[in-house]
Amino acid sequence: MNPAIVIPSYWARDDLPTDIGELGTYDHVTPVDKPLPELEMCLASLDKVRGVLRTIVLLVAPPDCEASARARVEGICRMHPGLNPMIVGQEEARLVRRVINSVAPSLSAELVSLRGYGAIRNMGLVVAAILGHDVVVFLDDDEIALDPDYLFDAVYGLGKKNRQGVTIQAKTGYYLDREDSPYINMAKVPWCDRRWSIGNEFNELMERMLTSTRITRANTLCGGCFAVTAQAFTRVPFDSTITRGEDLDYLFNLRMHGIDVWFDNQWHVKYLPPAIPSYASRFLQDVYRWTYERKKLEACNQTIGLRRVTPDALQPYPGPWISPQVDRRIISTAIRRAIVGPERLQYLKILVSGIGQARSWANGMANRYLSLLTYWPRIMESLWDNRLLARRLIKMGTARLAWRRVTVEETR
């Protein structure tokens, strides 16, 4: 196999909270002046991993600090030449978009780009395909690999048939928190968030999978500990519309195409995110996410040729979150936070108008993913192992590490 490690890395001028509910807003970002960025710790952990062939860093930054972020990321990558790092920033993305436009001129630029969680991951898949990598291993920049055999564990079983004769095309591992636990600590969940926490259901699912055989069928997908073969990712894209949770959504997308995700209970990473306060804007983003997810699945379940994805088949998690039960959780949590939270007025606004606006938006966007499905296989076929384009991207993404700036115009 020829795996590539793909790492999305989000940067900004500062880490102050931003408005949620639109593309380009992320849970947390790295300030460009941070002394020890998460990406440095991530790549340092990969230096100890055997068999790394290429590391693709997807640089996500707003225009006002893109140059500064690029300089920081280049400096970090220069410290880890053994990982064969390649940076994909806006210039590289524009080159990729020009080629995609020649294949699918009517496709929205937001579907494969460096803006929005799903579109960013699609960019990672596209670049890996251009370079001819038959496996993509996703790792987040706020995670570290704990084992020198991390990459061997990542590809373990991929392309092989299990006992049921099913070929494993996608697999996930799990996260360990700062206390080395794979479970969500429900004792730390306040009263106002009890109805909104996935903890009880997720912990029940994790206990079941961790105490089973090494490889079992997964109901969840950890986007920062995920490996997928070209056989799957050239058929199934990420959904660029969903505001958050694009990894779990990808499990649904794969299952629609008859591809199961498998859980490997011996493959894991350590998850070290910075503290993320709970803001009303982030809650509203989740309202949009789960409302859209339900509407999207309803539309896809009625589409000929796609396998149905139902809450009953996804118990104990995430089934309740794609069922009508989630509506009660949204309202209950908004009321509780409006009573005891620091942003009471914002939660009242969510109750009065935000929930209705999310439903209206979800109804209008429910079929958007289906349009991407019609183009994706053609795009990937045209880009697969495109050696001329690969040379251009490698020149743009790695020549700067030798202190030479290459512009998009030079690659034409």
Side-chain angles (χ1 to χ4, degrees):
M1 287 186 170
N2 180 24
I5 299 176
V6 175
I7 306 174
S9 189
Y10 305 89
W11 294 74
R13 287 202 178 279
D14 52 52
D15 57 357
L16 296 176
T18 55
D19 291 334
I20 300 291
E22 61 179 22
L23 293 178
T25 305
Y26 310 104
D27 282 355
H28 63 85
V29 294
T30 302
V32 292
D33 59 353
K34 187 169 185 175
L36 182 60
E38 285 82 3
L39 180 63
E40 164 58 30
M41 294 186 288
C42 177
L43 296 186
S45 74
L46 289 177
D47 280 335
K48 304 172 185 177
V49 171
R50 292 191 285 264
V52 177
L53 301 177
R54 186 188 304 278
T55 304
I56 301 170
V57 179
L58 305 175
L59 171 58
V60 182
D64 67 340
C65 70
E66 183 181 343
S68 299
R70 180 91 189 203
R72 290 300 311 272
V73 172
E74 286 180 1
I76 292 169
C77 287
R78 280 196 293 270
M79 301 296 292
H80 306 279
L83 301 179
N84 192 17
M86 173 182 170
I87 302 169
V88 177
Q90 288 299 333
E91 291 186 9
E92 292 82 2
R94 281 191 287 269
L95 175 60
V96 171
R97 280 298 318 174
R98 286 207 304 269
V99 179
I100 292 177
N101 288 341
S102 67
V103 179
S106 61
L107 187 69
S108 170
E110 292 182 346
L111 301 179
V112 182
S113 69
L114 292 177
R115 186 166 178 264
Y117 285 119
I120 291 165
R121 291 195 181 265
N122 281 339
M123 181 63 73
L125 296 179
V126 165
V127 172
I130 292 169
L131 300 177
H133 292 284
D134 59 0
V135 175
V136 168
V137 179
F138 279 107
L139 180 69
D140 289 337
D141 67 354
D142 53 3
E143 299 169 352
I144 59 174
L146 300 173
D147 193 321
D149 289 332
Y150 161 81
L151 196 55
F152 293 109
D153 288 335
V155 301
Y156 174 82
L158 285 178
K160 307 296 184 182
K161 291 186 176 181
N162 62 10
R163 295 178 181 178
Q164 293 77 37
V166 178
T167 301
I168 299 174
Q169 300 179 45
K171 56 176 281 194
T172 185
Y174 61 96
Y175 304 141
L176 294 177
D177 63 18
R178 295 179 186 276
E179 286 74 42
D180 292 327
S181 172
Y183 300 107
I184 296 174
N185 186 349
M186 290 300 294
K188 295 183 178 181
V189 179
W191 169 80
C192 60
D193 292 342
R194 288 277 167 169
R195 290 282 291 158
W196 198 240
S197 173
I198 66 172
N200 291 328
E201 299 138 345
F202 179 82
N203 288 346
E204 180 182 347
L205 176 65
M206 284 297 298
E207 184 175 8
R208 178 191 303 174
M209 295 190 297
L210 288 172
T211 56
S212 184
T213 57
R214 174 168 181 173
I215 304 293
T216 55
R217 190 167 180 257
N219 274 11
T220 189
L221 192 160
C222 299
C225 192
F226 175 57
V228 58
T229 66
Q231 187 177 0
F233 72 70
T234 55
R235 290 177 57 199
V236 185
F238 283 84
D239 188 346
S240 62
T241 302
I242 197 162
T243 54
R244 294 182 67 222
E246 81 291 345
D247 46 1
L248 180 60
D249 178 78
Y250 195 58
L251 180 142
F252 302 152
N253 300 338
L254 288 168
R255 194 168 286 196
M256 290 176 198
H257 287 79
I259 302 172
D260 283 320
V261 176
W262 298 86
F263 180 82
D264 185 343
N265 65 18
Q266 294 187 31
W267 181 39
H268 57 267
V269 295
K270 192 152 190 175
Y271 183 35
L272 301 171
I276 306 174
S278 177
Y279 294 104
S281 56
R282 184 164 288 117
F283 172 74
L284 181 58
Q285 188 184 40
D286 275 330
V287 172
Y288 273 75
R289 167 196 177 181
W290 291 115
T291 305
Y292 168 75
E293 196 74 83
R294 283 186 57 206
K295 294 298 181 182
K296 170 191 169 180
L297 291 178
E298 287 176 7
C300 291
N301 285 343
Q302 297 172 10
T303 302
I304 297 175
L306 296 180
R307 194 169 74 175
R308 288 177 56 83
V309 177
T310 64
D312 290 343
L314 292 162
Q315 298 294 340
Y317 175 81
W321 294 84
I322 56 172
S323 73
Q325 181 185 136
V326 75
D327 292 334
R328 297 191 294 273
R329 294 190 180 206
I330 289 171
I331 295 172
S332 173
T333 302
I335 292 173
R336 291 185 181 201
R337 292 184 179 181
I339 294 172
V340 302
E343 299 175 284
R344 299 178 185 180
L345 180 59
Q346 286 86 340
Y347 284 105
L348 285 174
K349 289 180 179 178
I350 291 173
L351 281 167
V352 172
S353 60
I355 295 173
Q357 291 169 356
R359 290 172 180 169
S360 177
W361 175 83
N363 286 331
M365 303 296 286
N367 290 296
R368 191 182 188 201
Y369 181 69
L370 293 173
S371 66
L372 176 57
L373 290 182
T374 62
Y375 291 106
W376 187 255
R378 189 196 321 166
I379 291 171
M380 296 302 268
E381 182 181 3
S382 68
L383 295 178
W384 178 260
D385 201 17
N386 186 322
R387 297 187 180 182
L388 175 60
L389 183 55
R391 286 197 297 270
R392 291 178 175 181
L393 283 176
I394 291 171
K395 184 179 181 181
M396 295 172 69
T398 61
R400 295 183 183 187
L401 304 183
W403 301 95
R404 180 175 180 272
R405 181 177 179 82
V406 180
T407 65
V408 174
E409 286 72 20
E410 289 180 65
T411 68
R412 290 177 177 172

